[in-house]
Amino acid sequence: MSELTHVIAPEGLAPAPDRGFSQVVWGEGRFVAVSGQVALDAAGEVVGAGDPDAQARQVFDNLRRCLEEAGAGFADVVKFTFFVTDLSVMPALRAARDTCIDPARPPACSAVQVAGLVRPELLMEVEAFALLPARLPSPRPTS
């Protein structure tokens, strides 16, 4: 995990109403971008059609798998972007997020309501940016 600084609200800014995100997060290291994840299982089938809670859990499970592939975890996430087809799904999305993050050090976050996603049954999509410690260069083989 990289050393990250989380600022809930810089001086002169009102704190976020739900305190579920930081206004600013920074650090140094290796950048990881995770494409938007939706509620599809390993077979490409929609999980929880019409069920925001089930979809949010699947989205965060997919994010976890992607982060792990990069050697990262939710503690390394500096920013989430939520895309939702209806703002009514935000409580489910926040609840799933809150099981994965440290509430004392939440990542930055944006939420955008969109007209639709890649499949009509999908209610949400979440992308993530993470920061890991820089990798040390591999030692050169000696001859």
Side-chain angles (χ1 to χ4, degrees):
M1 176 166 44
S2 176
E3 182 62 36
L4 300 175
T5 300
H6 294 76
V7 179
I8 300 293
E11 188 174 331
L13 286 181
D18 66 2
R19 298 281 223 175
F21 63 91
S22 295
Q23 295 284 354
V24 183
V25 180
W26 71 83
E28 292 183 21
R30 184 168 50 97
F31 181 72
V32 176
V34 178
S35 292
Q37 297 299 305
V38 294
L40 296 179
D41 63 16
E45 299 297 319
V46 173
V47 172
D51 181 347
D53 293 312
Q55 287 201 18
R57 286 189 302 272
Q58 183 66 44
V59 165
F60 275 88
D61 189 47
N62 292 347
L63 285 166
R64 179 189 53 77
R65 292 169 197 265
C66 291
L67 290 164
E68 286 176 353
E69 184 68 22
F74 286 108
D76 302 303
V77 172
V78 296
K79 172 93 167 49
F80 286 123
T81 305
F82 299 155
F83 302 94
V84 298
T85 57
D86 189 306
L87 293 175
S88 68
V89 304
M90 288 301 296
L93 202 46
R94 286 185 186 122
R97 175 203 61 194
D98 290 351
T99 66
C100 300
I101 66 164
D102 176 355
R105 298 175 49 81
C109 190
S110 298
V112 181
Q113 184 173 358
V114 296
L117 295 168
V118 68
R119 291 176 61 175
E121 314 94 307
L122 296 171
L123 305 173
M124 61 195 66
E125 181 171 335
V126 179
E127 67 182 14
F129 300 125
L131 195 60
L132 296 172
R135 288 186 178 160
L136 298 175
S138 300
R140 294 184 183 252
T142 56
S143 314

